[in-house]
Amino acid sequence: MSNRLVMSVRRSALLNRQLPEELAELLRQEGVDPSKAWLSAEADLNLSGAYERVFLLAESDRLLTVAHPRDGFPRPIRLDIPRQALKEIRTRRGVGGGFLEALVEGIYVEILAYSNAQADTFHKVSKKLQDWLAGKEASTGPEDDYDPRKCPICGMTLRFKGDTCPRCVDRGAILTRVLRLMKPYTGWAILMFALLMVVVALQMIPPRLQKLLVDKALLTPAEPIPLATREMWLFWLVLAWLGVRVLASIGRMVNGRLSSFVATQITHDMRNSVLSRLTNLSVNYHDNNSVGRLISRVSYDTEVFGQFVRQVTQGFLAQIVMLTVTGVMLFSISWKLAMWTLLPAPFVLLASSFYWRRLYPRYHRVWDSRSRMTGSLSSILSGIRVVKAFGQEHREQQRFSRSSGYYRNSSRNVAYATSIFNPSMAFLFQVGGLVAWYVGGGEIIRQEGLTLGGLVGFSAYLGMFYAPLTNLTQLTDWLTRFFTASQRTFEIIDTAPEIVESENPKPLPAPRGGVVFENVTFGYSRHDPVIKNVSFEIRPGEYVGIVGKSGSGKTTLVNLLARFYDVDEGRVLIDGVDVRELDIEDVRKSIGVVLQEPFLFRGTIYANITYGRREATPEQVIAAAKVANSHDFILRQPLGYDTWVGERGAGLSGGEKQRVSIARALLYDPKILVLDEATSNVDTESEQLIQKALGRVTTGRTTIAIAHRLSTLKSANHILVVDGGQIVEQGSHEELMERGGLYHRLVKIQTELSREPTVDRLAEEDRRKK
Amino acid sequence: MTEPNQNPDAGTPDPTQVRFLTPELCRIHLGSHGALHVTVKDERIYGGVYAVHGFPVGYPQGYISLIYTGGEAGDIEIGIIRDLGEFPPDDAELIREALRRRFFVHTITRIRHIGWKYGYINMEVDTDKGPVSFMMRGRHNNAVDFGPKGKVLIDVDDNRYLIPDVEQLPTRQKHDFRRYIYW
């Protein structure tokens, strides 16, 4: 066997590692020239599971592992296996790491160990070495260094290909983005801000009126003023005061209504944006995020955007404006007195900074525990039948109680901290107020210019000054919640869908239904392929069965065809075009899927059947239902096609749900129909009805049937037998039975099992006897 | 050096039955290229064997499954060692070595620093394999229970770090740890 070994001039940093010079020299003394190796990879563990730099060298005729000599290993060469002794190379997953193994003399020998940080590298190495053993071109180059699961900026491992790197996501832009969200409401925002300024200005008037009231009307003046004049001052000043209060209240009411309108609208828009992104994200993203957590993000986190609007118009921005204006007023009355009132400010700043640092992680805990509680509740309620069937109500109550307890404790922690902090701050400000009375009172007694009216007005402004200052100590609290929740929301919006549309997608206007899998390899987890180098072809209109044991990779083939996931290697073609180059919508339109667990949505039967084709007429819906053998039972429902079904089709039997889902698939009119164990969950009578329906449905379209009951595949043109992620047999039912392989064994087992009496069979026999 | 039986299908264990391996029934030894071999009395020699814990928390010294790759049939269990203590020290050490290789887990002996940044928990720790810094996502499935008191932390690369008993950490370290990983 000979193959071409290519060492690119441009070298791979991962697969052409430079050996330390000292080690290279030791190897040269042993007659090994490291520069001759076409592949050189570095592992971080030795075979005892301890950290050590161990290198794998692949020369044209042998494989070596080398490392610095140490106790027990006096020579630098740890393993030296000639190529002709190697039959296969594979990776094997351990816990926290893995192994590169070689099949030598009939047994798998561990060549190298590595931690999970290097799992991807050695998965690549394994592939290269397998090509090398198979006599294919084996080469390494800079392209081998590309890893879509690493952040291109910081190199951190991402959860999946295309995931947003949380370290590199632009946080500084959060506020800008929130403001940008408000752009459509710019006019409203200006109006609200103007109203806010008017209200603040109006609120500045009463203390001035108070000053005049005391000095002009209430206090006995040094020079006598007629009683009538003082009573007139009293009347007009109180009237003016009332007028100002009325206007300020109206201003606040209008502003409150406007901000509520805008706030609820922005929250609504954000919820829609987040859900829109969630529905567009790939299946893999949803595999990695629990439903409870996502519900929490859509439902609760988006509320902070509405709160932001309220805070800007009525909350913190209003408080800041009020603080500034009252500050100016205080200084205008007595700058000396105003200076005294600022004494607590440094303490406030220090305390706020401490509060920010200590509280931040606690809010994450509150959010996390709430998500966990929601997830727990969702799990219990979704599985309530199983809970009841196994009599585990009490245990589930306890489980929920634990989750709720976590939430209680974390919320309590935050609340405790807040309840100490806020009153402490309020106390500090009150001390400042007392100082003002003491110092101001002294000025009046000593007649240093400040009047009693001035001090009363000053005190009124001081109340207005302290109120926002006290509230502003909660600004950090609110900002923390705001940035945390908005960051989580933007995280979803910024997550790039893993399945990305080609820049110039090719349309598939009239699909014929030809399917080709070309050397396809794919794995859900990073280094554990589920499909291994699979190739097959399905011609348009063919009925193809896929059989195999559970976990053999049958459904994964369909997931790749529908492009729920992208292949790691190879290609999947529909009508000769790579699915990655096709318009995703066209791909999905050309494929209809009937699943083992038919998923019906809450709504009418009619709405469920027309789910993929809203414009269908009642005639078309009835025709589809007839073909799917569901028309008769639908008519037996009290409201026929307008009958409502509950969550997941509650109210219909398993067979009925399945037939509705077949009608749905049929109305969608796909050129490729996938039946994923469509009859494995129903009784025999329903199965017969469904089989009859399917017989009619599959005519004229490419049908891929993943079948549990092999008897249903007798009419298939072609059967693919999948095992361990590979196609191990293919042919017609008769050919495979003759071959006597895995298919033959599976059919035999099922035939044995089908001889066992079942309720359906006994009922049938009973009917015949009668 | 002992070579495996030439006939790989001879005496293949029945996959539906549980077979407990005892020192009387089998011998553990190394074969070519340092691969772990198991010779089962009156049966055959199994080469390229690896060991898997059945209950790594509950019974770390027992219920250890010995597995080999049997051609097309894939991985096949030879049998289960109920108690490693029953085996001669040399045999038991070979199994422990195989388990150490398979379970690459750092045992944390000291938390030097723990902090939160960008939704990630950053840790600097001393472990039985030396000082390590790592990042992990602050989610429940990245800090899973190890028995009633322990935690296994899983970093962004899927590497594992074990704290056998959180309560045994010094007060300050426990407090800091609980602040971020409270579940």
Side-chain angles (χ1 to χ4, degrees):
Chain A
M1 198 184 291
S2 68
N3 57 330
R4 206 154 62 85
L5 300 174
V6 180
M7 261 201 294
S8 168
V9 179
R10 296 176 306 127
R11 294 167 73 86
S12 156
L14 273 180
L15 305 185
N16 296 114
R17 297 286 296 168
Q18 284 286 331
L19 269 62
E21 190 45 46
E22 192 188 341
L23 177 61
E25 185 51 39
L26 286 172
L27 286 171
R28 280 191 282 272
Q29 287 169 17
E30 296 267 346
V32 176
D33 182 359
S35 64
K36 281 188 180 169
W38 64 271
L39 182 147
S40 162
E42 182 179 347
D44 54 353
L45 301 181
N46 61 30
L47 284 173
S48 300
Y51 278 117
E52 189 182 356
R53 293 179 75 187
V54 181
F55 292 86
L56 175 83
L57 302 180
E59 293 184 350
S60 59
D61 57 351
R62 63 176 170 172
L63 204 59
L64 299 123
T65 60
V66 300
H68 277 287
R70 63 175 178 88
D71 290 348
F73 296 97
R75 290 179 56 213
I77 299 172
R78 300 273 168 95
L79 269 176
D80 183 353
I81 309 174
R83 178 179 159 173
Q84 61 266 30
L86 296 164
K87 296 292 173 244
E88 193 189 325
I89 297 283
R90 71 174 186 184
T91 53
R92 181 165 60 79
R93 201 173 181 177
V95 176
F99 302 91
L100 190 71
E101 292 187 332
L103 185 61
V104 182
E105 296 162 15
I107 59 168
Y108 282 98
V109 176
E110 289 165 359
I111 303 176
L112 207 74
Y114 48 84
S115 76
N116 271 339
Q118 291 189 309
D120 287 326
T121 302
F122 280 94
H123 188 55
K124 275 181 195 164
V125 167
S126 166
K127 290 232 171 293
K128 298 276 178 197
L129 292 178
Q130 285 191 57
D131 286 348
W132 172 60
L133 288 182
K136 294 179 190 167
E137 181 183 289
S139 64
T140 59
E143 64 280 1
D144 293 317
D145 297 339
Y146 171 67
D147 186 346
R149 286 191 174 100
K150 300 270 185 202
C151 168
I153 301 168
C154 71
M156 193 174 76
T157 307
L158 305 173
R159 281 172 299 179
F160 49 82
K161 285 181 266 180
D163 189 18
T164 307
C165 176
R167 192 153 58 183
C168 300
V169 70
D170 188 0
R171 275 168 191 76
I174 286 179
L175 201 62
T176 321
R177 288 181 70 169
V178 176
L179 291 175
R180 214 181 305 141
L181 277 174
M182 290 192 68
K183 206 175 174 185
Y185 309 98
T186 311
W188 292 108
I190 292 169
L191 182 61
M192 285 187 286
F193 190 73
L195 268 172
L196 170 71
M197 298 310 286
V198 170
V199 169
V200 170
L202 286 169
Q203 282 178 316
M204 293 302 112
I205 298 172
R208 286 281 170 191
L209 295 176
Q210 273 176 283
K211 179 181 182 297
L212 285 174
L213 197 64
V214 172
D215 288 342
K216 298 280 184 189
L218 302 183
L219 271 183
T220 307
E223 290 173 17
I225 298 173
L227 191 63
T229 309
R230 286 172 67 188
E231 280 177 348
M232 193 186 68
W233 272 108
L234 178 66
F235 175 76
W236 285 111
L237 283 171
V238 171
L239 192 67
W241 196 346
L242 176 71
V244 167
R245 287 281 182 231
V246 168
L247 284 175
S249 297
I250 291 171
R252 271 201 294 266
M253 281 178 211
V254 175
N255 214 10
R257 278 182 73 105
L258 284 177
S259 70
S260 294
F261 169 77
V262 176
T264 48
Q265 188 61 40
I266 284 186
T267 301
H268 170 76
D269 292 350
M270 275 311 284
R271 277 202 190 111
N272 286 337
S273 300
V274 175
L275 189 75
S276 162
R277 174 56 71 174
L278 279 177
T279 51
N280 284 323
L281 286 172
S282 38
V283 177
N284 201 10
Y285 181 87
H286 292 275
D287 289 346
N288 283 302
N289 290 279
S290 79
V291 174
R293 276 162 200 278
L294 295 182
I295 287 175
S296 177
R297 289 194 178 191
V298 178
S299 308
Y300 307 121
D301 287 349
T302 49
E303 281 177 9
V304 294
F305 296 95
Q307 285 168 9
F308 176 80
V309 175
R310 289 197 183 94
Q311 292 293 2
V312 166
T313 54
Q314 292 178 306
F316 293 122
L317 183 65
Q319 311 280 6
I320 289 167
V321 173
M322 182 71 96
L323 192 73
T324 313
V325 178
T326 47
V328 171
M329 290 297 176
L330 287 172
F331 275 88
S332 72
I333 292 174
S334 166
W335 68 269
K336 272 194 286 184
L337 209 51
M339 289 300 284
W340 280 104
T341 61
L342 292 179
L343 267 181
F347 298 103
V348 175
L349 288 175
L350 278 174
S352 293
S353 152
F354 173 79
Y355 189 69
W356 174 272
R357 275 187 290 117
R358 300 297 288 189
L359 206 71
Y360 191 81
R362 291 190 187 188
Y363 268 106
H364 275 278
R365 287 163 61 179
V366 173
W367 170 74
D368 203 26
S369 59
R370 185 170 63 184
S371 299
R372 201 181 186 201
M373 188 185 71
T374 314
S376 165
L377 186 62
S378 161
S379 151
I380 294 167
L381 296 180
S382 311
I384 193 70
R385 282 186 174 79
V386 180
V387 173
K388 283 181 171 298
F390 285 89
Q392 294 297 312
E393 291 91 337
H394 183 61
R395 186 179 163 190
E396 290 302 333
Q397 283 160 16
Q398 283 183 324
R399 202 155 66 97
F400 177 75
S401 178
R402 274 201 299 277
S403 305
S404 176
Y406 287 141
Y407 183 36
R408 176 198 60 203
N409 293 345
S410 52
S411 305
R412 217 176 247 175
N413 270 336
V414 170
Y416 283 172
T418 313
S419 65
I420 293 171
F421 181 77
N422 290 341
S424 307
M425 289 295 100
F427 173 74
L428 273 177
F429 300 145
Q430 281 159 8
V431 167
L434 291 174
V435 169
W437 271 103
Y438 181 77
V439 177
E443 275 192 37
I444 292 170
I445 292 167
R446 290 189 295 274
Q447 293 188 336
E448 289 174 353
L450 186 65
T451 64
L452 182 60
L455 184 59
V456 169
F458 191 93
S459 295
Y461 280 127
L462 207 56
M464 290 163 67
F465 183 74
Y466 281 144
L469 207 55
T470 311
N471 290 336
L472 281 174
T473 60
Q474 293 171 29
L475 179 63
T476 50
D477 172 4
W478 176 77
L479 277 176
T480 308
R481 270 186 283 127
F482 171 70
F483 280 115
T484 311
S486 51
Q487 179 190 317
R488 283 196 301 266
T489 310
F490 286 134
E491 223 172 73
I492 292 182
I493 292 176
D494 290 341
T495 302
E498 207 176 336
I499 304 296
V500 185
E501 181 100 75
S502 154
E503 275 183 23
N504 297 303
K506 294 178 184 167
L508 194 63
R512 285 174 288 116
V515 173
V516 174
F517 272 59
E518 212 175 77
N519 303 320
V520 170
T521 296
F522 170 77
Y524 294 103
S525 63
R526 289 195 296 146
H527 41 273
D528 208 4
V530 180
I531 298 294
K532 299 165 195 163
N533 201 25
V534 162
S535 299
F536 61 84
E537 183 181 357
I538 302 172
R539 285 187 289 275
E542 263 193 332
Y543 186 136
V544 172
I546 302 180
V547 298
K549 291 180 270 187
S550 295
S552 56
K554 304 184 295 287
T555 301
T556 306
L557 291 175
V558 174
N559 286 339
L560 295 174
L561 175 63
R563 225 194 145 196
F564 291 145
Y565 299 87
D566 272 341
V567 295
D568 291 332
E569 286 168 32
R571 296 194 301 166
V572 175
L573 312 167
I574 294 179
D575 292 342
V577 186
D578 192 324
V579 287
R580 288 170 295 192
E581 292 168 16
L582 286 169
D583 186 315
I584 293 177
E585 207 180 320
D586 283 358
V587 171
R588 305 270 161 83
K589 266 186 184 164
S590 66
I591 300 169
V593 185
V594 180
L595 297 167
Q596 182 179 2
E597 291 284 344
F599 194 98
L600 300 189
F601 293 92
R602 197 176 143 77
T604 63
I605 293 176
Y606 182 84
N608 269 292
I609 294 177
T610 57
Y611 187 73
R613 202 175 146 197
R614 289 288 184 219
E615 72 286 2
T617 62
E619 289 82 353
Q620 289 167 323
V621 171
I622 291 169
K626 278 254 186 197
V627 178
N629 267 339
S630 48
H631 179 69
D632 293 347
F633 88 77
I634 292 171
L635 290 191
R636 283 198 295 275
Q637 304 294 318
L639 293 175
Y641 283 88
D642 289 331
T643 302
W644 272 75
V645 292
E647 295 288 342
R648 295 168 184 262
L652 299 181
S653 74
E656 288 170 343
K657 278 190 269 186
Q658 191 59 285
R659 280 178 279 160
V660 170
S661 78
I662 292 170
R664 178 172 64 190
L666 185 62
L667 191 70
Y668 198 47
D669 196 22
K671 208 61 198 168
I672 301 166
L673 182 66
V674 177
L675 308 171
D676 191 352
E677 305 201 354
T679 61
S680 62
N681 269 355
V682 295
D683 60 78
T684 314
E685 194 179 338
S686 294
E687 189 194 355
Q688 282 173 357
L689 289 168
I690 292 169
Q691 285 301 342
K692 277 184 195 167
L694 290 177
R696 291 193 284 259
V697 171
T698 54
T699 312
R701 25 184 136 243
T702 305
T703 306
I704 301 170
I706 297 173
H708 189 62
R709 294 181 192 178
L710 304 180
S711 55
T712 60
L713 291 181
K714 277 185 183 170
S715 55
N717 306 105
H718 202 70
I719 295 169
L720 307 171
V721 185
V722 185
D723 193 29
Q726 289 173 312
I727 303 224
V728 290
E729 289 171 20
Q730 51 181 307
S732 68
H733 173 73
E734 291 73 22
E735 286 166 358
L736 292 174
M737 287 304 283
E738 262 179 42
R739 196 172 296 165
L742 179 60
Y743 183 79
H744 179 259
R745 281 205 301 279
L746 291 172
V747 170
K748 213 172 141 190
I749 292 167
Q750 284 209 352
T751 313
E752 294 291 327
L753 285 175
S754 65
R755 288 198 191 116
E756 299 286 326
T758 63
V759 173
D760 295 320
R761 182 168 299 138
L762 292 175
E764 181 64 25
E765 283 172 11
D766 192 43
R767 248 197 319 273
R768 278 186 199 153
K769 278 177 195 167
K770 282 174 186 169
Chain B
M1 194 185 290
T2 318
E3 292 308 322
N5 196 322
Q6 290 304 303
N7 179 3
D9 292 329
T12 301
D14 181 351
T16 63
Q17 297 296 314
V18 178
R19 173 164 71 171
F20 288 105
L21 299 172
T22 59
E24 294 75 36
L25 185 66
C26 71
R27 205 167 59 79
I28 319 288
H29 52 99
L30 293 180
S32 54
H33 301 295
L36 189 68
H37 283 50
V38 176
T39 303
V40 179
K41 200 174 168 185
D42 300 331
E43 199 171 286
R44 56 172 285 199
I45 302 167
Y46 297 95
V49 175
Y50 63 95
V52 177
H53 272 301
F55 303 90
V57 183
Y59 301 96
Q61 293 300 312
Y63 301 100
I64 295 158
S65 172
L66 300 186
I67 298 168
Y68 81 108
T69 305
E72 281 186 12
D75 287 0
I76 297 170
E77 183 179 79
I78 303 163
I80 293 172
I81 293 176
R82 201 195 308 258
D83 182 1
L84 205 52
E86 293 173 355
F87 278 74
D90 287 351
D91 288 25
E93 187 49 36
L94 287 176
I95 298 294
R96 283 197 193 96
E97 175 82 14
L99 287 170
R100 272 198 294 274
R101 282 205 297 270
R102 181 175 158 73
F103 290 83
F104 179 66
V105 178
H106 304 73
T107 302
I108 293 176
T109 52
R110 181 183 172 196
I111 299 173
R112 289 180 172 275
H113 169 76
I114 179 165
W116 180 282
K117 207 167 187 187
Y118 310 141
Y120 279 74
I121 295 170
N122 293 266
M123 289 188 85
E124 288 170 25
V125 295
D126 288 345
T127 75
D128 59 337
K129 299 182 196 306
V132 184
S133 300
F134 63 92
M135 285 174 82
M136 58 179 281
R137 293 182 180 92
R139 290 166 36 158
H140 293 268
N141 51 357
N142 295 117
V144 295
D145 288 345
F146 181 83
K149 293 179 178 173
K151 279 268 185 273
V152 174
L153 313 179
I154 303 165
D155 75 5
V156 289
D157 285 315
D158 212 22
N159 291 319
R160 282 152 194 264
Y161 305 85
L162 169 68
I163 300 179
D165 186 346
V166 177
E167 292 304 316
Q168 292 300 314
L169 287 171
T171 312
R172 177 77 193 177
Q173 292 176 38
K174 185 171 68 182
H175 178 77
D176 286 350
F177 182 79
R178 288 278 184 222
R179 188 167 5 135
Y180 295 94
I181 298 167
Y182 64 97
W183 53 90

